[in-house]
C-alpha cells in the first residue's frame, strides 16, 4: 500500500462528516430562497418524493431521514436557485461575449426562463413564442433528410421523455440517438454484455448486506455516489473487506464519517473503508487483475496438491463458463515481471489482495470511469469478470458485478429505446403499436456523430439536456464544425457553453427541473427513472416552476414532433402530454416482462426490479455461457510509453457535476481555489525539471499530427503513480483526440490521454 508523500496536497479528513455539511452550507447559504428548500431536500430519494438529479445510486426501501448527500443536495440546490437567466440578460450580453465566460459563471446566471431564438444580426438570443419555435423547428426538420440529423440525450431525462424522444426519431426516420452514456458506461453496455450477456450490473442492494469482500476499480464513491458510502460503511462494520485499485488516493474510499450519525459527527471517528488501497497505474488494471488471477490459480493448485480439493469453483466453470482453458493458458504465459511493470504494483501487494479474494466466499466487483474510459476498457471489464468467474462470484446472493452508473436515468434511457442500434429496439412492437416501419439502418453514437459533424454530414442537432460540446473530445475542431450545421436546438435548464456555438438557425428551449411541479391536462405528473441497480422509481416534483414560461421536457419533445411528423391516428402527442401514465402504458406494451403493471408499481419502496438474466445464471452471450476472455494486452491505455509522454487522467472534483462547476473547492483532494492545476508526484516533477507552482501547458502527444493544447496549468505536487499526470474534466477536453476511445464501444478514453508538458 502506498502512502501519500508529505509535501503533496492532500486531505487527511474523512469523506462525509462536517466537511460535507460545510460544502452544502456554502451552496445552501447562497441559494436558499425559502424554507421550502429544506422541505424539497427532505423529499429527495423517498418513495413518493422526487428522485435526485445527481447520481444514479439506488434509493433504498427504508430511506434515512435525509436520504441525500452533499453532492445530491448541491445538485438540487443548483436547480432550485433563486437566480434567473432572463431575456434581459441575453439583451445585455452578446453570444460572442459569453463565449469568454467560465463554465461556472455561465450556469451561475441561474435558470433559463424563456424560449429563445438566436439572432445572427445582433449576435444575441431573442425571446420567441413556444408555438413559433415548434413551428420553425418542425419546418426545418421536414426540409432535411432525417439521416442527416442527430438527437442527443443527456442521462437526466425521464423514462417517459426518453421513450417518446426515441419514438420521435424513429417515426421521423433515423436511429441517430447518441447518449451521454456513449461517453460513460457504453463500455459496460457492450463489454459486459459480451461476457455475461447483460449490459448492466447483476447486483441488487441486498447483495451488499451479505458479501464478504468488495473489489473497487476506478470509481470515486465519496464524490460521485456518496450515498453508496452508507451500505459500504455497514459492510465494513460487519467485517466485509474492501480492496481498492485507483491511481488517486480518494479519501471517500479511505475513510467515511456518516453525517447521519451524531456519535460519529461528534468524535469525527468514522469508518476506515478500504482494507487495502493500491495506486495502480492508469490503464494498469488488466495487468493487476491478471496478477490477482495468477495468484488464485497458484493457491488453487497448492490446495489441490495438499487436500485434493479446489479453491476455484470448477463445478460452476464446467457448467456455466466458456474459454477457461484458453484463459488459464494465458495466465501461465504471463510473467510477474510484465504484470508488475504494467500495473505499477509489486507482486506481494497483488498476492495480498488475491488472498482476500480467495478467503472470501462472496465477492462483488465494482467499477466506474477508471475502467470504462480507456482504449481497452472493454477488456478490463472482461478481466474483472474473469476474476469473478474463477470462484463463481456472479449469479449468487452476495456476489456480482456492479458498474456504478453516472446520470440519474442514464441506464433507463437505454432500456426504453435511446440506442443507435436497431437490434436493441423492439421494432416489431413499435410497428404494431404505431403502424410504421422503424428505420433499420444503424445510427450514430457519440463518437460517430462527432466524426460526421466534423465531416460536414450532419445538418441538424437536437440536444435533450447536457452540454455536448463541452463533454466530448476534440473540442476545437468540433466547435469549428458545429457552426456549419443548419439547425441546432438545445433543451436545457441552465446556460452552458454548448448554447453559445450555434447552427444557422438556433434555439435555446428552457425546461422544468425534476424537483418542479409538472402540471398537465390530467393534473400533476409523475416521471420515472431506473437506477444503477436496475430498480425503477416514480418521481414527483412539487416546487413552483422557476418561470411560468417553462415547459416539461416531454411537452417540448412532443411539441417539436407534432410539427415535424405527418398526422398518424396512433401517435397521439397531445394525449400523451396530457397524461404521462399513457406513456408508461406504451413503455409497458413495448417491453413486456420488464415494466408489468408499471403505473401501479412505480412507487414501490426501493423501486421495482427490472430483472437480470445473468443474475439467474442465464447467459445471453454468443456461446450461451459466461465468457472467460484472454486479454490481447496488459495495458489498457492503448499507446506506448515514451520519454516525456504522460498518461493524463481527467478528473471530476468534489465541487462539480460533469460540466456543471459548482465551485472551486475540491475539498476531498485538498485542491482549493482553482481548477487550473496539473497534478504530478514530486519525483516526477523533479525528473521533468519543473517546480511546484510553475505554470505550464499540456500538449497532445497522440502522434496524429494534430496540435492540441491547454495553457495556464499550475504544477501541483500530488500523490500519483509515476508516468502520469491528472487534471480536471472538462477543462482538459481539448486534449482528447476523437480517435482515442475504447476499441469495442467507442467510449472516449478520458482516463489515459497521451500528453507532453510544455513550459
Ligand atoms: N458529484 C458528482 N457526482 C457525479 C458526477 C459528477 O461529476 N459529480 N458525475 C456523474 C456521472 S455522469 C458519472 S459517469 C459518474 C462518474 O463517477 P466515477 O465513475 O467515479 O468517475 P470519475 O470521477 O471520472 O473517475 C473515477 C475514478 O477513476 C480513477 N481512475 C482514473 N484512471 C484509472 C485507472 O486507470 N484505473 C483505476 N482503477 N482507476 C482509475 C480516478 O482516480 C477516479 O477516482 O458519477 C456521477 N455522479
Ligand atoms: N475528459 C472527460 N470527458 C468526459 C468525462 C470525463 O470523465 N472526462 N465524462 C463523460 C461522462 S461520464 C459524461 S456522462 C458526459 C456528460 O455529458 P452531458 O450529460 O452532456 O453533460 P452535463 O454536464 O451533465 O450537462 C449539464 C447541462 O445539462 C443541463 N441540464 C441540467 N438539468 C437538466 C434537466 O433536468 N433537463 C435538461 N433538459 N437539461 C438539464 C444544464 O443546462 C447543464 O448545463 O461527459 C463525458 N466527458
Ligand atoms: Mo457519465
Amino acid at each position: 500500500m502506498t502512502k501519500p508523500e508529505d509535501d503533496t496536497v492532500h486531505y487527511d479528513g474523512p469523506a462525509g462528516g462536517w466537511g460535507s455539511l460545510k460544502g452544502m452550507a456554502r451552496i445552501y447559504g447562497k441559494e436558499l430562497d425559502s424554507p421550502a428548500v429544506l422541505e424539497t431536500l427532505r423529499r429527495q430519494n423517498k418513495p413518493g418524493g422526487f428522485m435526485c438529479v445527481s447520481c444514479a445510486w439506488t434509493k433504498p426501501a427504508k430511506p434515512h431521514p435525509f436520504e441525500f448527500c452533499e453532492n445530491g443536495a448541491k445538485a438540487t440546490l443548483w436547480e432550485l436557485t433563486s437566480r434567473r437567466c432572463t431575456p434581459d440578460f441575453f439583451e445585455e450580453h452578446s453570444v460572442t461575449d459569453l463565449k469568454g465566460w467560465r463554465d461556472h459563471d455561465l450556469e451561475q446566471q441561474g435558470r433559463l426562463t424563456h424560449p429563445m431564438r438566436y439572432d445572427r444580426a445582433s449576435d444575441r438570443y431573442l425571446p420567441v413564442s413556444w408555438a413559433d419555435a415548434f413551428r420553425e423547428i418542425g419546418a426545418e426538420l421536414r426540409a432535411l433528410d432525417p439521416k442527416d440529423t442527430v438527437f442527443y440525450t443527456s442521462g437526466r431525462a425521464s423514462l417517459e421523455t426518453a421513450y417518446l424522444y426515441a419514438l420521435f426519431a424513429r417515426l421521423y426516420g433515423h436511429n441517430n440517438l447518441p447518449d451521454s452514456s456513449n461517453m460513460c458506461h457504453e463500455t459496460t453496455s457492450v463489454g459486459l454484455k459480451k461476457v455475461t450477456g447483460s449490459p448492466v450490473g447483476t447486483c441488487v442492494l441486498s447483495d451488499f448486506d451479505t458479501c464478504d469482500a468488495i473489489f473497487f476499480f476506478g470509481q470515486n464513491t465519496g464524490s460521485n455516489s456518496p450515498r453508496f458510502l452508507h451500505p459500504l460503511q455497514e459492510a465494513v462494520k460487519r467485517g466485509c473487506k474492501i480492496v481498492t485499485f485507483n491511481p488517486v488516493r480518494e479519501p471517500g474510499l479511505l475513510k467515511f464519517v456518516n453525517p447521519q450519525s451524531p456519535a460519529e459527527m461528534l468524535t469525527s471517528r468514522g469508518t476506515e473503508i478500504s482494507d487495502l488501497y493500491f495506486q495502480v497505474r492508469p490503464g494498469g488494471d488488466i495487468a493487476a487483475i491478471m496478477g490477482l488471477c495468477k495468484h488464485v490459480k497458484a493457491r488453487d493448485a497448492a490446495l489441490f496438491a495438499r487436500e485434493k480439493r479446489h479453491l476455484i469453483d470448477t463445478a460452476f466453470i464446467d457448467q456455466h463458463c466458456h474459454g477457461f482453458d484458453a484463459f488459464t493458458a494465458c495466465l501461465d504465459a504471463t510473467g510477474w515481471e510484465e504484470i508488475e511493470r504494467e500495473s505499477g504494483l509489486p507482486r506481494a501487494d497483488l498476492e495480498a489482495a488475491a488472498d482476500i479474494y480467495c478467503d472470501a466466499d462472496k465477492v462483488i466487483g465494482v467499477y466506474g470511469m477508471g475502467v470504462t474510459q480507456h482504449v481497452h476498457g472493454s477488456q478490463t471489464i472482461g478481466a474483472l469478470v474473469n476474476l469473478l468467474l474463477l470462484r463463481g462470484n456472479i449469479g449468487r446472493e452476495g456476489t456480482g458485478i456492479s458498474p456504478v452508473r453516472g446520470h440519474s436515468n442514464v441506464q433507463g434511457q437505454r432500456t426504453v429505446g435511446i440506442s443507435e442500434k436497431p437490434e436493441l429496439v423492439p421494432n416489431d412492437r413499435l410497428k404494431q403499436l404505431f403502424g410504421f416501419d422503424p428505420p433499420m439502418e444503424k445510427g450514430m453514437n457519440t463518437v460517430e456523430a462527432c466524426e460526421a459533424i466534423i465531416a460536414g454530414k450532419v445538418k441538424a442537432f437536437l440536444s435533450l439536456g447536457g452540454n455536448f460540446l463541452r463533454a466530448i473530445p476534440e473540442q476545437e475542431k468540433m466547435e469549428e464544425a458545429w457552426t456549419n450545421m443548419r439547425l441546432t436546438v438545445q433543451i436545457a435548464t441552465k446556460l452552458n457553453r454548448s448554447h453559445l456555438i450555434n447552427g444557422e438557425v438556433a434555439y435555446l428551449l428552457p425546461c422544468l427541473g425534476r424537483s418542479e411541479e409538472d402540471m398537465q391536462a390530467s393534473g400533476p405528473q409523475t416521471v420515472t427513472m431506473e437506477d444503477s441497480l436496475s430498480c425503477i422509481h416514480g418521481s414527483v416534483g412539487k416546487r413552483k416552476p422557476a418561470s411560468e414560461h417553462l415547459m416539461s421536457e416531454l411537452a417540448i419533445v412532443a411539441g417539436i414532433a407534432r410539427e415535424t411528423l405527418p398526422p398518424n391516428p396512433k401517435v397521439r402527442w397531445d394525449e400523451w402530454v396530457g397524461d404521462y401514465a399513457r406513456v408508461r402504458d406504451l413503455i409497458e406494451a413495448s417491453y413486456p416482462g420488464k415494466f408489468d403493471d408499471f403505473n401501479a408499481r412505480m412507487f414501490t419502496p426501493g423501486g421495482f426490479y427490472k430483472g437480470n438474466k445473468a443474475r439467474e445464471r442465464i447467459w445471453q452471450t454468443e456461446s450461451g455461457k459466461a465468457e472467460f476472455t484472454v486479454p490481447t494486452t496488459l495495458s489498457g491505455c492503448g499507446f506506448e510509453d515514451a520519454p516525456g509522454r504522460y498518461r493524463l487522467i481527467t478528473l471530476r472534483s468534489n465541487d462539480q457535476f460533469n460540466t456543471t462547476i459548482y465551485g472551486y473547492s475540491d475539498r476531498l483532494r485538498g485542491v482549493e481555489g482553482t481548477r487550473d492545476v496539473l497534478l504530478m508526484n514530486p519525483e516526477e516533477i523533479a525528473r521533468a525539471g519543473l517546480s511546484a507552482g510553475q505554470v505550464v501547458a499540456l500538449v497532445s502527444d497522440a502522434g496524429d499530427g494534430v496540435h492540441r493544447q491547454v495553457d495556464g496549468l499550475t504544477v501541483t505536487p500530488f500523490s500519483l503513480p509515476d508516468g502520469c499526470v491528472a487534471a480536471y474534466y472538462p477543462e482538459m477536453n481539448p486534449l482528447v483526440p476523437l480517435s482515442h476511445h475504447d476499441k469495442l464501444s467507442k467510449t472516449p478514453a478520458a482516463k489515459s490521454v497521451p500528453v507532453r508538458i510544455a513550459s
Side-chain angles (χ1 to χ4, degrees), residues 630-674:
V630 174
T632 61
T633 167
L634 286 188
S635 163
C637 75
F639 54 88
E640 301 292 319
D641 289 322
R645 177 181 292 164
Y646 296 89
R647 301 177 181 186
L648 165 70
I649 308 175
T650 59
L651 288 176
R652 293 172 155 75
S653 92
N654 188 55
D655 218 5
Q656 78 184 81
F657 189 93
N658 296 341
T659 68
T660 295
I661 311 301
Y662 302 128
Y664 295 84
S665 165
D666 194 358
R667 181 173 69 76
L668 294 175
R669 298 201 188 101
V671 180
E672 296 288 341
T674 176

Side-chain angles (χ1 to χ4, degrees), residues 399-426:
T399 70
I401 186 150
S402 193
V404 181
R405 304 295 296 229
H407 270 297
S408 49
N409 192 37
V410 66
Q411 185 169 311
Q413 294 178 345
R414 311 291 278 175
T415 305
V416 297
I418 302 286
S419 176
E420 78 285 2
K421 295 174 183 154
E423 68 274 17
L424 299 183
V425 181

Side-chain angles (χ1 to χ4, degrees), residues 16 46 131-132 162 197 252 389 398 424 568 595 653:
K46 302 267 184 68
D132 286 350
L389 293 178
L424 299 183
N568 173 342
F595 292 93
S653 92

Side-chain angles (χ1 to χ4, degrees), residues 363-384:
V363 179
I364 293 177
V366 174
Y367 66 91
M369 297 299 99
V371 163
T372 63
Q373 294 180 333
H374 283 292
V375 169
H376 298 299
S378 291
Q379 292 207 34
T380 313
I381 294 175
L384 180 53

Side-chain angles (χ1 to χ4, degrees), residues 163 425-436 438 588-592:
Y163 177 87
V425 181
N427 279 316
D428 290 348
R429 293 195 176 258
L430 296 185
K431 181 174 178 165
Q432 213 180 345
L433 283 166
F434 307 109
F436 78 117
E588 185 176 335
S590 307
Y591 299 92

Side-chain angles (χ1 to χ4, degrees), residues 668-691:
L668 294 175
R669 298 201 188 101
V671 180
E672 296 288 341
T674 176
R675 294 173 54 87
D676 299 326
V677 289
L678 181 65
L679 308 177
M680 288 174 88
N681 83 38
E683 294 80 36
E684 204 60 86
I685 294 177
R687 266 195 295 276
L690 300 169
S691 48

Side-chain angles (χ1 to χ4, degrees), residues 362-540:
K362 299 173 187 166
V363 179
I364 293 177
V366 174
Y367 66 91
M369 297 299 99
V371 163
T372 63
Q373 294 180 333
H374 283 292
V375 169
H376 298 299
S378 291
Q379 292 207 34
T380 313
I381 294 175
L384 180 53
V385 168
N386 289 341
L387 175 67
L388 293 172
L389 293 178
L390 279 179
R391 297 207 356 104
N393 278 311
I394 298 185
R396 197 157 53 90
E397 198 206 304
T399 70
I401 186 150
S402 193
V404 181
R405 304 295 296 229
H407 270 297
S408 49
N409 192 37
V410 66
Q411 185 169 311
Q413 294 178 345
R414 311 291 278 175
T415 305
V416 297
I418 302 286
S419 176
E420 78 285 2
K421 295 174 183 154
E423 68 274 17
L424 299 183
V425 181
N427 279 316
D428 290 348
R429 293 195 176 258
L430 296 185
K431 181 174 178 165
Q432 213 180 345
L433 283 166
F434 307 109
F436 78 117
D437 287 311
M440 294 309 292
E441 196 178 314
K442 187 188 162 296
M444 294 182 245
N445 61 21
T446 291
V447 162
E448 290 156 356
C450 291
E451 287 164 350
I453 290 167
I454 289 173
K457 291 184 195 149
V458 177
K459 304 289 187 290
F461 192 98
L462 269 58
S463 199
L464 178 57
N467 189 359
F468 189 77
L469 274 173
R470 198 70 174 127
I472 48 153
E474 211 73 82
Q475 214 153 353
E476 205 171 309
K477 260 196 214 167
M478 277 297 294
E479 290 196 358
E480 248 173 65
W482 197 260
T483 54
N484 296 328
M485 286 192 282
R486 169 68 189 170
L487 174 72
T488 53
V489 179
Q490 301 280 349
I491 302 169
T493 50
K494 287 203 171 176
L495 187 61
N496 66 42
R497 184 155 181 98
S498 297
H499 310 150
L500 304 175
I501 323 281
N502 287 329
E504 223 172 307
V505 176
Y507 281 91
L508 177 52
L509 305 177
C511 64
L512 292 174
R514 197 181 292 159
S515 54
E516 290 170 330
E517 185 171 65
D518 184 353
M519 188 57 83
Q520 305 292 350
S522 66
Q525 301 299 311
T526 299
V527 289
T528 51
M529 23 242 107
E530 175 182 333
D531 66 33
S532 255
L533 302 182
S534 305
C535 290
I536 293 156
H537 310 259
S539 173
V540 187

